[in-house]
Amino acid sequence: MRNVLIVCTANSARSVLGEALFRHLGQGKFQSFSAGSTPRGSVNPDALSCLERHGLSSDGFRSKSWDEFAGHEAPKMDLIITVCDSAAGESCPVWPGHPLVVHWGIPDPAGVEGDDDTRGAAFDLAYKRLERRINAMLALGDSVFTAEDGKARLNAIGATADTQD
């Protein structure tokens, strides 16, 4: 079982979608968590609606600080994925166990204004991009965590253009 933490600034949208997708796609091989550098305190309702549209549970998610995962009593992470540029550029805590830290930038769907359909489309796009990247990571197999070029291969997933949208 590998532990993965998806980090964003507010922990209300992209990181929550990533946490849910890892739970679903990881098929018991991953325990997933999400957190924010400056958590909003609540999960964006459009993120929860997006999960439900895609048949994933929206129960139990909460907006929380990455500090919960930096202490000695926190679960040891194998992988930290930042999904927003501001969190990637911040000084991250020292993570226990020295996990791989990679960046997979995803535009913030919570910043999209408009009616339910417009906002829903933005969240669906973020969901689709995260789903594609997580599937690409899973296709690499567990050996990516110990490979000399593992971090580079995981970062490359986030650096590829989302041309299939």
Side-chain angles (χ1 to χ4, degrees):
M1 177 76 75
R2 297 280 184 184
N3 288 332
V4 61
L5 176 64
I6 301 90
V7 175
C8 201
T9 303
N11 187 216
S12 70
R14 292 167 285 184
S15 52
V16 171
L17 297 178
E19 178 182 2
L21 277 161
F22 263 105
R23 282 185 192 164
H24 176 69
L25 298 171
Q27 300 178 355
K29 296 177 185 167
F30 288 88
Q31 185 169 3
S32 58
F33 307 90
S34 65
S37 57
T38 312
R40 177 165 292 133
S42 62
V43 175
N44 186 305
D46 290 325
L48 300 176
S49 295
C50 178
L51 293 176
E52 292 168 1
R53 272 194 308 281
H54 291 278
L56 300 182
S57 173
S58 62
D59 294 338
F61 292 100
R62 63 185 178 87
S63 178
K64 57 205 160 297
S65 173
W66 62 10
D67 292 337
E68 287 188 29
F69 301 95
H72 293 291
E73 44 304 321
K76 178 186 168 280
M77 294 298 153
D78 297 290
L79 177 63
I80 311 285
I81 301 170
T82 57
V83 292
C84 61
D85 292 333
S86 58
E90 293 180 39
S91 295
C92 292
V94 175
W95 306 108
H98 306 288
L100 295 172
V101 179
V102 299
H103 179 63
W104 294 355
I106 301 284
D108 188 4
V112 173
E113 295 182 11
D115 62 16
D116 289 348
D117 290 340
T118 301
R119 293 189 327 273
F123 274 86
D124 287 345
L125 179 59
Y127 179 97
K128 183 186 340 178
R129 287 176 172 175
L130 283 162
E131 181 180 42
R132 192 169 32 245
R133 291 173 187 193
I134 292 168
N135 278 324
M137 188 199 103
L138 294 172
L140 295 174
D142 194 63
S143 63
V144 74
F145 287 94
T146 55
E148 280 188 35
D149 66 342
K151 182 175 180 171
R153 290 165 60 197
L154 291 169
N155 264 321
I157 290 170
T160 58
D162 291 301
T163 57
Q164 301 171 352
D165 299 332

